[in-house]
PDB file of all heavy atoms in Angstrom:
ATOM      1  N   LEU B  58      20.967  -9.267   7.830  1.00 87.00           N
ATOM      2  CA  LEU B  58      20.784  -8.845   6.450  1.00 87.00           C
ATOM      3  C   LEU B  58      20.501  -7.353   6.382  1.00 87.00           C
ATOM      4  O   LEU B  58      20.585  -6.739   5.329  1.00 87.00           O
ATOM      5  CB  LEU B  58      19.603  -9.589   5.835  1.00 87.00           C
ATOM      6  CG  LEU B  58      19.708 -11.113   5.868  1.00 87.00           C
ATOM      7  CD1 LEU B  58      18.326 -11.733   5.731  1.00 87.00           C
ATOM      8  CD2 LEU B  58      20.614 -11.574   4.747  1.00 87.00           C
ATOM      9  N   ASP B  59      20.118  -6.782   7.519  1.00 91.00           N
ATOM     10  CA  ASP B  59      19.716  -5.377   7.585  1.00 91.00           C
ATOM     11  C   ASP B  59      18.461  -5.114   6.771  1.00 91.00           C
ATOM     12  O   ASP B  59      18.322  -4.081   6.104  1.00 91.00           O
ATOM     13  CB  ASP B  59      20.874  -4.452   7.157  1.00 91.00           C
ATOM     14  CG  ASP B  59      21.982  -4.434   8.197  1.00 91.00           C
ATOM     15  OD1 ASP B  59      21.667  -4.641   9.382  1.00 91.00           O
ATOM     16  OD2 ASP B  59      23.147  -4.232   7.835  1.00 91.00           O
ATOM     17  N   ILE B  60      17.560  -6.090   6.785  1.00 94.00           N
ATOM     18  CA  ILE B  60      16.262  -5.930   6.135  1.00 94.00           C
ATOM     19  C   ILE B  60      15.182  -6.369   7.117  1.00 94.00           C
ATOM     20  O   ILE B  60      15.308  -7.409   7.764  1.00 94.00           O
ATOM     21  CB  ILE B  60      16.152  -6.785   4.850  1.00 94.00           C
ATOM     22  CG1 ILE B  60      17.320  -6.491   3.907  1.00 94.00           C
ATOM     23  CG2 ILE B  60      14.823  -6.522   4.143  1.00 94.00           C
ATOM     24  CD1 ILE B  60      17.347  -7.371   2.675  1.00 94.00           C
ATOM     25  N   VAL B  61      14.157  -5.558   7.235  1.00 97.00           N
ATOM     26  CA  VAL B  61      13.028  -5.878   8.108  1.00 97.00           C
ATOM     27  C   VAL B  61      11.778  -5.964   7.243  1.00 97.00           C
ATOM     28  O   VAL B  61      11.609  -5.192   6.300  1.00 97.00           O
ATOM     29  CB  VAL B  61      12.875  -4.791   9.208  1.00 97.00           C
ATOM     30  CG1 VAL B  61      11.496  -4.823   9.837  1.00 97.00           C
ATOM     31  CG2 VAL B  61      13.960  -4.963  10.270  1.00 97.00           C
ATOM     32  N   GLY B  62      10.921  -6.925   7.541  1.00 97.00           N
ATOM     33  CA  GLY B  62       9.707  -7.132   6.740  1.00 97.00           C
ATOM     34  C   GLY B  62       8.452  -6.631   7.431  1.00 97.00           C
ATOM     35  O   GLY B  62       8.324  -6.739   8.649  1.00 97.00           O
ATOM     36  N   LEU B  63       7.559  -6.070   6.639  1.00 97.00           N
ATOM     37  CA  LEU B  63       6.225  -5.699   7.133  1.00 97.00           C
ATOM     38  C   LEU B  63       5.221  -6.462   6.291  1.00 97.00           C
ATOM     39  O   LEU B  63       5.177  -6.288   5.069  1.00 97.00           O
ATOM     40  CB  LEU B  63       5.997  -4.192   6.997  1.00 97.00           C
ATOM     41  CG  LEU B  63       4.556  -3.687   7.170  1.00 97.00           C
ATOM     42  CD1 LEU B  63       4.046  -3.932   8.594  1.00 97.00           C
ATOM     43  CD2 LEU B  63       4.448  -2.195   6.843  1.00 97.00           C
ATOM     44  N   MET B  64       4.451  -7.332   6.923  1.00 95.00           N
ATOM     45  CA  MET B  64       3.428  -8.045   6.165  1.00 95.00           C
ATOM     46  C   MET B  64       2.131  -7.266   6.261  1.00 95.00           C
ATOM     47  O   MET B  64       1.535  -7.158   7.341  1.00 95.00           O
ATOM     48  CB  MET B  64       3.269  -9.460   6.709  1.00 95.00           C
ATOM     49  CG  MET B  64       4.608 -10.201   6.696  1.00 95.00           C
ATOM     50  SD  MET B  64       4.473 -11.995   6.481  1.00 95.00           S
ATOM     51  CE  MET B  64       4.202 -12.154   4.727  1.00 95.00           C
ATOM     52  N   LEU B  65       1.716  -6.708   5.138  1.00 91.00           N
ATOM     53  CA  LEU B  65       0.478  -5.933   5.117  1.00 91.00           C
ATOM     54  C   LEU B  65      -0.697  -6.876   5.349  1.00 91.00           C
ATOM     55  O   LEU B  65      -0.654  -8.033   4.940  1.00 91.00           O
ATOM     56  CB  LEU B  65       0.334  -5.222   3.772  1.00 91.00           C
ATOM     57  CG  LEU B  65       1.436  -4.215   3.467  1.00 91.00           C
ATOM     58  CD1 LEU B  65       1.351  -3.739   2.021  1.00 91.00           C
ATOM     59  CD2 LEU B  65       1.352  -3.027   4.410  1.00 91.00           C
ATOM     60  N   PRO B  66      -1.745  -6.393   5.993  1.00 86.00           N
ATOM     61  CA  PRO B  66      -2.881  -7.270   6.260  1.00 86.00           C
ATOM     62  C   PRO B  66      -3.557  -7.695   4.958  1.00 86.00           C
ATOM     63  O   PRO B  66      -3.590  -6.929   3.998  1.00 86.00           O
ATOM     64  CB  PRO B  66      -3.817  -6.401   7.108  1.00 86.00           C
ATOM     65  CG  PRO B  66      -3.420  -5.002   6.827  1.00 86.00           C
ATOM     66  CD  PRO B  66      -1.964  -5.019   6.484  1.00 86.00           C
ATOM     67  N   VAL B  67      -4.067  -8.904   4.955  1.00 81.00           N
ATOM     68  CA  VAL B  67      -4.806  -9.392   3.795  1.00 81.00           C
ATOM     69  C   VAL B  67      -6.021  -8.500   3.588  1.00 81.00           C
ATOM     70  O   VAL B  67      -6.747  -8.194   4.523  1.00 81.00           O
ATOM     71  CB  VAL B  67      -5.252 -10.852   4.031  1.00 81.00           C
ATOM     72  CG1 VAL B  67      -6.167 -11.318   2.922  1.00 81.00           C
ATOM     73  CG2 VAL B  67      -4.040 -11.751   4.162  1.00 81.00           C
ATOM     74  N   ARG B  68      -6.209  -8.050   2.362  1.00 70.00           N
ATOM     75  CA  ARG B  68      -7.267  -7.098   2.072  1.00 70.00           C
ATOM     76  C   ARG B  68      -8.447  -7.731   1.345  1.00 70.00           C
ATOM     77  O   ARG B  68      -8.264  -8.612   0.528  1.00 70.00           O
ATOM     78  CB  ARG B  68      -6.745  -5.979   1.162  1.00 70.00           C
ATOM     79  CG  ARG B  68      -5.740  -5.077   1.780  1.00 70.00           C
ATOM     80  CD  ARG B  68      -4.792  -4.560   0.737  1.00 70.00           C
ATOM     81  NE  ARG B  68      -3.920  -5.617   0.239  1.00 70.00           N
ATOM     82  CZ  ARG B  68      -4.003  -6.176  -0.931  1.00 70.00           C
ATOM     83  NH1 ARG B  68      -4.901  -5.796  -1.787  1.00 70.00           N
ATOM     84  NH2 ARG B  68      -3.171  -7.151  -1.271  1.00 70.00           N
ATOM     85  N   ARG B  69      -9.617  -7.233   1.650  1.00 62.00           N
ATOM     86  CA  ARG B  69     -10.755  -7.495   0.783  1.00 62.00           C
ATOM     87  C   ARG B  69     -10.579  -6.581  -0.424  1.00 62.00           C
ATOM     88  O   ARG B  69      -9.867  -5.592  -0.376  1.00 62.00           O
ATOM     89  CB  ARG B  69     -12.069  -7.157   1.479  1.00 62.00           C
ATOM     90  CG  ARG B  69     -12.294  -7.980   2.702  1.00 62.00           C
ATOM     91  CD  ARG B  69     -13.758  -8.353   2.841  1.00 62.00           C
ATOM     92  NE  ARG B  69     -13.855  -9.448   3.774  1.00 62.00           N
ATOM     93  CZ  ARG B  69     -14.061 -10.703   3.419  1.00 62.00           C
ATOM     94  NH1 ARG B  69     -14.228 -11.029   2.154  1.00 62.00           N
ATOM     95  NH2 ARG B  69     -14.131 -11.652   4.317  1.00 62.00           N
TER      96      ARG B  69
END
Side-chain angles (χ1 to χ4, degrees):
Chain B
L58 303 159
D59 289 331
I60 306 175
V61 161
L63 167 65
M64 304 210 79
L65 298 170
V67 173
R68 293 149 290 107
R69 298 218 163 256

